[in-house]
Every structure is written in C-alpha cells, then in structure tokens.
Amino acid sequence: MALQKVSDRIYADTDGKNGGNLGAVILDDEIVMVDSGMVHNLSRKVRQYVDETFALPILKLVITHSHSDHVFGAQAFDPTSIIGSVDMRKVCESNLSGQWKIDAIREYVKPVKDERPELWTSLDDLEIRIPDIVFDNRLLLGREKEMTVQLVGGHTIGSSIVVIEPEHIVFVGDLIFNGSFPYAGDPTCDPDRWIMGLERVEAAEYEQIIPGHGPVCGQDEIARHLDFLSALKERIKHALVEGLTPEEFLEKDLLPDHYAEGADRRSYSTVEHWFDFYKAVGDSHAPP
Ligand SMILES: [Zn+2]
C-alpha cells in the first residue's frame, strides 16, 4: 500500500497490489474515498494512513463501477455511505445472488490462491458492501460542490468518473488501464459509449488523470486508449463482414498491438464480447 500525493488534497494508491486503484479526496470537513480495492485487509492499511494523517472522518466512498477489484475492499471504510450509479447498484444486486456468493468467489479466486495469498485469506471474512446512495446521471459532493460524480458507461453499464475542481483532476475508473490491455469483456461493456466517454474526457483536458489501473497519467494515454479502442472496433466490424470468428480473429493476429501487457488475460473475453456487440448492432439495422 502506498497512497501517493497527486495534489494537495488528492491521493491515490496505484501500485496494483490491491486490484484496482483507489484514492482519497480531502475536503474541508470530510474525506471522500474513490473506489476501495479488492482486498479489504490491504484497504484497511490505506484507511489507517488516512485516519492518522488527516484527522477528518471518511464519510463517503464513491465506487466507480461494479467490478470486484474496486468493490470488495469497501468494508475497510465502515461505517460510510457508499455512492454509485443506479445501474452500478443494479449489477451489484444481481451479482450478490450469483457470482458474488462466497462459494462462487472462492472458485474464481482459487486458481490464483498461491499468487495472491492475501486475496485468498481476505475471503474468510469478506462482507460485500454495495451503494446505499444512488444517482441517475450525476451527483455533486462537497461544500462548494467541488466534486462531480458523472455516469459515463462504456467499460460497464454503470461506470462513472469523478472530477475534482479547481484542481481539474479526474478519477476515470476503468475507462483507462494505463499501459496495459484494457478489460473490455464485461457483458454490459458498450464500446461505442466507452469511446464517446473518453472523447469527452480528452476534450476536458484534465491536469491529471487517475486511471482504474496503472499509474497516474496525462492526455497521451487517453489518446492511446482511444486509438486502440477505435482500431479494435474497426477491425472487429471488418472481421464480422468477412465472417471470421473471435478465435480466427486472434489466430490471424488482428488485435491492434498497442498493449502487449495484459493481452494474454484480457483479449479473448474482450474480442468475444465485441463480436457479439457489433453483431447485434448489425442485426438491428435493415440490410442496405
Ligand atoms: Zn473494471
């Protein structure tokens, strides 16, 4: 755990040891956390550091989206209000009655048990928290309304970004995996909304961008992600016209080569989902 200073009142843990990145925003009379990591025992160390350093209560935790590596650390910040979009909460509710049952989680984590012992141990007393405060489109926080939580979608149906002014710094959640192949295989992932969302983030010209994975970055990484996502979209649409399968697409080495890191783990689910997504888009239009 290492909370790194991004600005005077914005901190982030981006070393990747706790799953997704998480951060803290120090407002005048409270602290708002953004995302919670995956391993609550590690998130608890972040909490201790925040408690010892700032002498302000953590009253809120904003969760950018419904993936376990951003949600499962939340109990470390008890008691706190948890904020997420309506769509994000819906996915959490449905996960709680399926893939987030403890036996299902154990099955999922078991293959990496030896690689990530701290994650495996954290399941012994995992209590999953989901948002108790929800919003449709946007929510303003802070005495001066200096923090905006904005629904963007894309990476998942309920994905949000968090903007802090006047610093003009943004937490973009998993819209950006800085330096690695982004996971874009969620069943609710909408590549078109993802690209549109990132174009808006790019146009806003933020001073610093805190991604969901990887170190704090700038405009260049947004441009690189946009270039990658757009190239992947065009190649998959073309492959659909050619009648290729996701397997053939990968065998023919048609993936844009922007990101080698993480491609082994994330490319198949991503390509498979995008094939389904653009096939459905194609089916919904009458043939020319
Ligand atoms: Zn994610």
Side-chain angles (χ1 to χ4, degrees):
M1 185 295 291
L3 260 195
Q4 159 209 346
K5 189 171 182 172
V6 180
S7 81
D8 278 350
R9 51 178 198 161
I10 303 172
Y11 291 76
D13 173 4
T14 63
D15 67 15
K17 293 184 181 138
N18 192 1
N21 292 343
L22 62 156
V25 182
I26 320 304
L27 299 180
D28 295 334
D29 45 12
E30 63 168 311
I31 291 168
V32 180
M33 300 301 299
V34 180
D35 282 337
S36 67
M38 189 171 195
V39 181
H40 62 87
N41 298 324
L42 296 178
S43 307
R44 191 155 287 119
K45 292 183 184 162
V46 172
R47 200 238 159 91
Q48 274 163 7
Y49 174 84
V50 169
D51 283 348
E52 284 162 15
T53 313
F54 302 107
L56 281 171
I58 297 172
L59 297 185
K60 300 182 184 82
L61 161 62
V62 176
I63 304 187
T64 58
H65 68 287
S66 54
H67 286 155
S68 56
D69 55 338
H70 299 256
V71 177
F72 283 5
Q75 75 193 74
F77 303 102
D78 286 346
T80 179
S81 294
I82 301 184
I83 296 169
S85 67
V86 169
D87 288 331
M88 181 269 180
R89 185 185 151 104
K90 273 188 203 153
V91 175
C92 292
E93 283 171 337
S94 126
N95 287 349
L96 281 174
S97 53
Q99 56 181 275
W100 283 359
K101 289 193 167 170
I102 191 64
D103 291 342
I105 299 171
R106 282 187 191 283
E107 280 306 303
Y108 173 75
V109 174
K110 213 179 211 165
V112 296
K113 187 178 156 197
D114 297 330
E115 248 168 84
R116 303 184 64 185
E118 75 298 334
L119 172 59
W120 180 250
T121 329
S122 76
L123 303 184
D124 291 345
D125 55 351
L126 172 66
E127 290 177 29
I128 300 173
R129 305 277 185 256
I130 69 171
D132 53 345
I133 297 177
V134 293
F135 62 95
D136 281 315
N137 182 45
R138 84 165 42 166
L139 184 74
L140 302 177
L141 299 174
R143 234 193 254 166
E144 308 291 331
K145 300 181 179 165
E146 62 262 55
M147 241 179 125
T148 304
V149 190
Q150 174 72 53
L151 176 70
V152 177
H155 172 70
T156 67
I157 191 172
S159 288
S160 302
I161 64 171
V162 181
V163 175
I164 301 106
E165 301 291 2
E167 287 88 344
H168 207 47
I169 288 173
V170 62
F171 286 86
V172 291
D174 282 2
L175 296 187
I176 294 286
F177 281 62
N178 184 7
S180 68
F181 193 101
Y183 170 61
D186 184 276
T188 68
C189 167
D190 180 329
D192 291 338
R193 280 190 72 183
W194 192 333
I195 291 167
M196 270 174 357
L198 274 185
E199 282 170 348
R200 286 208 300 275
V201 170
E202 187 179 44
E205 298 187 351
Y206 292 107
E207 292 294 332
Q208 299 191 73
I209 295 150
I210 302 159
H213 296 265
V216 176
C217 57
Q219 290 289 91
D220 51 341
E221 188 61 26
I222 303 274
R224 195 167 166 218
H225 258 57
L226 272 172
D227 198 58
F228 168 75
L229 296 170
S230 307
L232 182 61
K233 169 181 168 173
E234 287 319 310
R235 290 187 189 191
I236 284 183
K237 285 171 82 172
H238 188 71
L240 279 166
V241 173
E242 305 260 290
L244 298 184
T245 63
E247 291 78 10
E248 288 164 340
F249 183 88
L250 290 169
E251 274 161 24
K252 286 177 185 285
D253 215 9
L254 292 173
L255 269 186
D257 58 5
H258 300 58
Y259 298 105
E261 167 68 31
D264 53 337
R265 304 189 298 282
R266 305 187 195 120
S267 60
Y268 184 76
S269 55
T270 296
V271 167
E272 197 182 32
H273 174 68
W274 285 40
F275 262 73
D276 287 345
F277 182 86
Y278 285 109
K279 185 169 183 299
V281 170
D283 290 346
S284 68
H285 297 307

